[in-house]
Amino acid sequence: MSGQNKDFDFEIMPGVPAGLPKDEQILWQGKPQAMALAREAYKINWIAGYMLAVVLWRAGGAYADGGTALMLATGLPYLVLSVAGYGVIYLLAWAQARASIYTITTARVIMRIGAALPVTYTIPFVRIATARLDVRPGGTGTIALEITAGMRLSFAVLWPHLRPGFAKHTQPAFRCIADAQNVARLLADAAQAKLNEPVVTMAPSGAVMAAE
């Protein structure tokens, strides 16, 4: 069964809401890198740049009106607020990264996400049409999964664990993970092996068993 599992499903192992079948194994587990998530999803660098521009603008105006003393009296409160704002944004990204666990098994992808309201998404390989890798400088990257028709995922619930710009056709993603290139290769190999696995059916009594 694919889709969203309830928060209260018992986790026998971290990130996996129920015991795996005997023939299924965990191949990889990971989570977002907090700073990379803050930079890419929360746009912390852009926000920091804007706040710094406001500080310089207010301090510069105060200096022109009253010199160094007025510049410090005006600029310092803005600087403190800017640092506090930066810290809050990073804290949000850190909390999301810490609460999330991405899992690849021999049969599916599992995403346990959500800092305040944890949810778990299970996506079998047969539901994944394509996977797109986006590698960033520094080695982190995002693996976005294009899902086949018939499986609807909530953009609001998944954010920021998704591919930006695809609100209508939500693409869940392993966001800002380390060693993304090798993880993408592992995912591709596991999915290919699963999809090429023969399906064995039982023939009527006296007939030969056939593999499809």
Side-chain angles (χ1 to χ4, degrees):
M1 188 177 193
S2 61
Q4 182 178 343
N5 295 322
K6 300 297 184 181
D7 317 355
F8 46 78
D9 283 348
F10 178 69
E11 287 189 341
I12 295 178
M13 59 188 73
V16 180
L20 297 177
K22 291 182 179 179
D23 60 346
E24 185 176 357
Q25 297 178 348
I26 292 177
L27 301 176
W28 174 87
Q29 283 192 312
K31 56 181 58 191
Q33 301 292 298
M35 192 64 228
L37 190 67
R39 186 171 57 248
E40 295 182 26
Y42 291 83
K43 306 301 181 185
I44 194 170
N45 288 350
W46 289 95
I47 295 173
Y50 171 78
M51 293 188 297
L52 180 59
V54 170
V55 171
L56 293 176
W57 171 58
R58 297 295 297 180
Y63 180 79
D65 292 338
T68 303
L70 184 58
M71 178 189 73
L72 293 175
T74 303
L76 282 177
Y78 280 96
L79 182 61
V80 170
L81 287 174
S82 298
V83 172
Y86 185 96
V88 168
I89 295 169
Y90 177 79
L91 184 62
L92 291 173
W94 175 84
Q96 277 285 353
R98 184 175 181 274
S100 304
I101 301 178
Y102 304 142
T103 303
I104 299 173
T105 77
T106 50
R108 53 184 161 159
V109 163
I110 303 171
M111 300 175 64
R112 204 281 301 276
I113 59 174
L117 297 172
V119 296
T120 302
Y121 282 98
T122 297
I123 308 171
F125 290 149
V126 294
R127 287 292 192 175
I128 300 175
T130 59
R132 177 183 181 274
L133 172 63
D134 181 16
V135 179
R136 297 287 182 170
T140 61
T142 292
I143 303 173
L145 308 175
E146 183 180 349
I147 306 303
T148 58
M151 184 176 182
R152 298 180 62 85
L153 301 176
S154 169
F155 185 95
V157 174
L158 270 173
W159 194 92
H161 310 276
L162 44 74
R163 184 181 178 187
F166 287 79
K168 187 175 181 181
H169 302 288
T170 305
Q171 296 185 16
F174 289 175
R175 197 81 187 267
C176 304
I177 59 173
D179 200 21
Q181 195 159 6
N182 286 331
V183 175
R185 186 178 299 111
L186 183 150
L187 172 62
D189 291 345
Q192 192 66 39
K194 180 63 178 178
L195 297 177
N196 288 339
E197 190 176 85
V199 178
V200 178
T201 58
M202 294 300 296
S205 179
V208 178
M209 189 163 51
E212 298 179 352

